[in-house]
């Protein structure tokens, strides 16, 4: 438990406060996270331009992936259910922000949820930041060819890379 953040435990504490049964709380939280992860993958695929059928396959593939289920249910890493639930939403926010001008609210929500990933599992959260930044750079470079978009993408990538280097390097003495 030393590598996990506090968010999953606080969520379970709030649900347990309402329900009063620990086992029922875990079942409700795990089921909700599992459903939210599938909806997030579906929403991210739809925002990325996939048709409903393809997005449904993406959502089902994300939810029914063996590693997803094995880590949470077989290996007992219950806290990762919240990681899997939050992980698709920053990509949804990024795609919604890139789809048209004026969609800053989904990008802000995606950024907040990316920050919540760090509070759930710091290592997974920081790697999600790095790969979301990398995805942003690639998406901007492929989707738009103007200089401003490429400069913004390069700045986003540089900040993400700097954050990853600072957080993963050993402390200097």
């Amino acid at each position: 438990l030393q590598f996990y953040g506090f968010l999953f435990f606080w969520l379970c504490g709030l649900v347990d406060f309402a329900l009063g049964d620990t086992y029922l709380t875990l079942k409700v939280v795990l089921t909700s996270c599992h459903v939210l992860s599938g909806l997030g993958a579906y929403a991210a695929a739809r925002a990325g331009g996939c048709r409903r059928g393809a997005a449904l396959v993406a959502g089902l593939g994300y939810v029914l992936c063996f590693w997803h289920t094995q880590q949470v249910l077989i290996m007992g890493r219950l806290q990762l259910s919240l990681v899997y639930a939050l992980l698709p939403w920053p990509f949804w926010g990024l795609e919604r922000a890139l789809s048209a001008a004026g969609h800053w609210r989904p990008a802000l929500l995606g950024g907040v949820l990316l920050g919540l990933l760090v509070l759930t599992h710091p290592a997974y959260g920081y790697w999600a930041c790095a790969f979301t930044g990398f995805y942003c750079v690639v998406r901007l470079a492929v989707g738009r060819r103007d200089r401003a978009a490429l400069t913004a993408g390069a700045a986003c990538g540089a900040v993400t890379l700097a954050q990853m280097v600072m957080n993963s390097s050993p402390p200097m003495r």
Side-chain angles (χ1 to χ4, degrees):
L1 297 176
Q2 66 185 356
F3 299 114
Y4 295 102
F6 60 87
L7 193 62
F8 178 79
F9 302 108
W10 281 18
L11 176 64
C12 286
L14 286 173
V15 174
D16 191 51
F17 184 71
L19 297 178
D21 182 17
T22 305
Y23 294 111
L24 181 61
T25 295
L26 284 175
K27 290 176 184 178
V28 166
V29 169
L30 290 177
T31 302
S32 301
C33 287
H34 204 65
V35 169
L36 188 62
S37 70
L39 291 174
Y42 175 83
R46 284 291 289 161
C50 293
R51 293 189 314 231
R52 284 184 296 220
L56 180 66
V57 170
L60 288 174
Y62 186 70
V63 167
L64 299 175
C65 174
F66 179 72
W67 185 247
H68 183 149
T69 307
Q70 179 193 13
Q71 273 198 317
V72 173
L73 297 178
I74 297 172
M75 295 172 70
R77 297 177 180 170
L78 304 179
Q79 301 85 352
L80 290 182
S81 65
L82 189 56
V83 170
Y84 289 130
L86 294 174
L87 192 58
W89 294 102
F91 292 100
W92 168 81
L94 180 63
E95 285 294 336
R96 292 282 296 156
L98 292 176
S99 66
H103 282 114
W104 60 272
R105 287 185 183 109
L108 182 64
L109 178 64
V112 167
L113 293 176
L114 197 58
L116 290 178
L117 269 170
V118 175
L119 299 178
T120 303
H121 191 289
Y124 280 27
Y126 288 129
W127 281 110
C129 288
F131 287 119
T132 304
F134 179 70
Y135 179 79
C136 178
V137 169
V138 170
R139 184 76 169 83
L140 284 173
V142 170
R144 300 155 91 187
R145 301 258 184 231
D146 58 354
R147 187 178 196 118
L150 292 176
T151 305
C156 178
V159 168
T160 303
L161 183 64
Q163 180 186 12
M164 286 303 300
V165 168
M166 289 184 340
N167 288 322
S168 64
S169 62
M172 301 175 91
R173 296 180 195 252

